[in-house]
Amino acid sequence: MDFKELANKYQTPLYVYDFDYMAAQYDELKSAFKGRKSIIAYAVKANSNLSVVKHFADMGSGADCVSIGEVRRAFLAGVPSYKIIFSGVGKSDDEIREAIEKDILYINVESEAELGRVELIAKELGKVSRISIRVNPNIDPKTHPYISTGLHDNKFGVDLNSAKRMYIKANNSEHLDPVGIHFHIGSQLTELEPIRESAEIVADLVRSLEGINIELKFFDIGGGLGIRYDNEITIKPYDYVQAILGTLTALDLTILCEPGRFLTANAGYFISKVLYEKQNGEKKFVVIDGAMNDLLRPSLYNAYHKIDVITDSKEEPRAVDIVGPVCESGDFFAKNYPLPPLNHNDLVIVNSAGAYGFGMGSNYNTRGRSAEVALESGEDRLIRKRETFEDLIALEQEFLKA
Ligand SMILES: *Cc1c(COP(=O)(O)O)cnc(C)c1O
């Protein structure tokens, strides 16, 4: 990958995504499900660029959405309605209404109160809403606390007893059609056992529902497959699928899977230029033109990203903090990272930036968001323009008093 040429052509900071890598990840996971009815529903929030969503849609992927905005993106990108699902703890009435009108595969309901809203809105529309219930299996996924979702301490899903009550209520309703069951215990999962245990708990609930003649069609195992940022040992898709299938004996369900990070993270590179080096006492800093408003993960979760540099410098590496221009001490990409002395305009490449990168970006410090570029079959193409100052003030300017 010629990062230098891309930086010259599109300027920095810049996101670059390897579409061929994304396709290979999709294929690997899809083939692990071979012989089983399955739908891979790409978790749009990981990287919601329309061209990325379309790339997966073209390969047959569905979409897992957590806002109506993401549902609209999925439709625009060509994902068929029958492969779109809508999750999240806080859906507004308007969002629920639009999801029912658009006739998506199902709404993933996350509380008894929400089930009541969905029923009421479906009734107002004179429709039947397909639903799935997100079960919180109370299993520790052994990941970062901010991205753990499957414990009762987390706001997601409902406990087993509530779930059962909700299925009975939905099954008795003229306006609800319970078709699926869902769990998603966290993100960046690198251990299989918590996933298997969760699947077992949820599969047992499916069997107990069958006992009272509530027959579900979809077993939704969420996303969360971890990737390698550093030297993590990750779960192999084949082992993942086998572990899930092991819990589904005698159940004939279509498996839904909602990977985000697994499909896009290691396809992405965030390219930035060195502005300055500086030293405060003993502490050395490299200041680059990218910042926490472009890539928040290090600031938010203290996340590790491998960093490469493109430089003529042949000197020995020393420990430096790689920081951006934003006025926050939390604005860093790495701390005490070994890099050689760098020159103005050398390139700093942040790896594994294809998931939860651009999408978590903001305009903090009135910084326009980066451009995004796709690489596919040896060709590069722009998939989002760099934001300009005019873009940033567009929604405010008319209110400026003379
Ligand atoms: C975020 C999320 C995913 C995707 O998680 P990854 O770790 O990126 O695979 C899947 N399902 C739901 C409900 C989510 O909230």
Side-chain angles (χ1 to χ4, degrees):
M1 223 165 290
D2 194 341
F3 290 120
K4 224 170 183 168
E5 193 187 306
L6 291 167
N8 282 335
K9 184 164 171 187
Y10 297 103
Q11 308 307 309
T12 58
L14 178 72
Y15 273 100
V16 174
Y17 307 126
D18 181 345
F19 273 34
D20 299 328
Y21 181 91
M22 290 182 190
Q25 291 293 96
Y26 180 86
D27 285 343
E28 186 184 0
L29 190 55
K30 191 71 199 167
S31 49
F33 281 106
K34 210 172 180 151
R36 263 316 275 232
K37 286 176 288 179
S38 68
I39 297 176
I40 292 178
Y42 169 57
V44 172
K45 74 174 189 284
N47 185 327
S48 52
N49 184 290
L50 285 173
S51 298
V52 170
V53 183
K54 179 172 189 300
H55 186 47
F56 289 116
D58 288 348
M59 290 184 271
S61 178
D64 173 44
C65 306
V66 292
S67 72
I68 206 68
E70 288 189 356
V71 172
R72 291 183 188 179
R73 277 183 187 270
F75 272 96
L76 264 179
V79 181
S81 59
Y82 58 87
K83 288 186 187 172
I84 296 176
I85 53 191
F86 184 15
S87 312
V89 288
K91 303 178 194 78
S92 72
D93 288 358
D94 286 345
E95 289 185 308
I96 292 168
R97 192 171 298 114
E98 189 171 329
I100 296 173
E101 281 170 342
K102 285 193 152 80
D103 201 26
I104 62 171
L105 180 59
Y106 55 75
I107 295 175
N108 246 328
V109 174
E110 302 219 15
S111 63
E112 303 206 54
E114 185 191 343
L115 189 71
R117 294 307 303 172
V118 174
E119 182 180 33
L120 196 78
I121 293 166
K123 187 173 174 188
E124 280 167 14
L125 294 171
K127 295 204 167 174
V128 177
S129 179
R130 278 181 301 275
I131 59 130
S132 154
I133 291 169
R134 177 166 180 177
V135 176
N136 183 323
N138 200 26
I139 291 283
D140 184 355
K142 307 207 169 74
T143 183
H144 189 285
Y146 282 17
I147 50 178
S148 156
T149 57
L151 283 166
H152 286 171
D153 271 358
N154 306 129
K155 66 181 175 181
F156 299 97
V158 298
D159 61 62
L160 288 168
N161 290 332
S162 309
K164 193 157 182 184
R165 244 191 341 267
M166 287 162 69
Y167 277 112
I168 293 168
K169 176 179 170 173
N171 200 47
N172 289 333
S173 166
E174 281 174 42
H175 296 283
L176 297 173
D177 182 12
V179 294
I181 194 158
H182 174 235
F183 67 94
H184 171 75
I185 59 170
S187 199
Q188 183 55 12
L189 307 176
T190 52
E191 291 190 35
L192 192 49
E193 188 50 25
I195 306 176
R196 199 199 57 74
E197 264 180 71
S198 304
E200 199 157 82
I201 290 169
V202 176
D204 283 345
L205 178 57
V206 174
R207 289 189 194 92
S208 109
L209 291 170
E210 286 194 348
I212 51 172
N213 291 320
I214 300 177
E215 302 262 348
L216 304 179
K217 298 189 188 76
F218 300 100
F219 191 78
D220 184 342
I221 62 174
L225 264 187
I227 60 118
R228 209 159 207 216
Y229 286 98
D230 189 6
N231 47 19
E232 297 92 337
I233 297 170
T234 55
I235 301 165
K236 291 187 179 59
Y238 178 82
D239 297 340
Y240 175 59
V241 173
Q242 289 308 309
I244 302 284
L245 292 181
T247 68
L248 290 180
T249 39
L251 289 174
D252 179 33
L253 298 164
T254 298
I255 302 173
L256 248 105
C257 179
E258 309 165 347
R261 189 190 311 269
F262 175 82
L263 296 178
T264 63
N266 276 334
Y269 302 86
F270 178 64
I271 306 175
S272 196
K273 263 185 189 157
V274 173
L275 298 174
Y276 315 103
E277 289 211 336
K278 66 179 285 185
Q279 186 155 350
N280 287 346
E282 291 296 292
K283 189 84 197 169
K284 293 186 173 65
F285 297 94
V286 176
V287 185
I288 61 178
D289 65 359
M292 66 188 286
N293 78 295
D294 298 298
L295 180 67
L296 187 61
R297 297 189 71 259
S299 309
L300 185 63
Y301 315 120
N302 212 11
Y304 175 88
H305 284 264
K306 189 168 150 320
I307 288 174
D308 294 314
V309 290
I310 298 178
T311 178
D312 293 330
S313 169
K314 303 219 162 33
E315 290 171 65
E316 286 299 305
R318 72 263 127 95
V320 296
D321 284 11
I322 303 158
V323 302
V326 160
C327 297
E328 299 279 343
S329 291
D331 179 25
F332 66 89
F333 290 90
K335 295 201 158 169
N336 296 314
Y337 203 92
L339 292 183
L342 297 172
N343 299 310
H344 190 69
N345 288 343
D346 280 351
L347 294 181
V348 169
I349 316 293
V350 181
N351 291 276
S352 313
Y356 308 105
F358 183 92
M360 278 190 177
S362 76
N363 294 124
Y364 190 39
N365 283 205
T366 304
R367 290 171 52 88
R369 272 171 289 203
S370 312
E372 294 176 286
V373 165
L375 295 182
E376 193 170 9
S377 316
E379 305 279 332
D380 54 86
R381 65 175 199 275
L382 191 64
I383 56 172
R384 195 182 202 268
K385 286 186 215 171
R386 182 175 301 285
E387 286 177 349
T388 64
F389 175 67
E390 286 66 34
D391 294 330
L392 301 194
I393 59 167
L395 303 179
E396 299 163 34
Q397 204 166 16
E398 64 182 288
F399 304 109
L400 197 60
K401 286 190 180 155

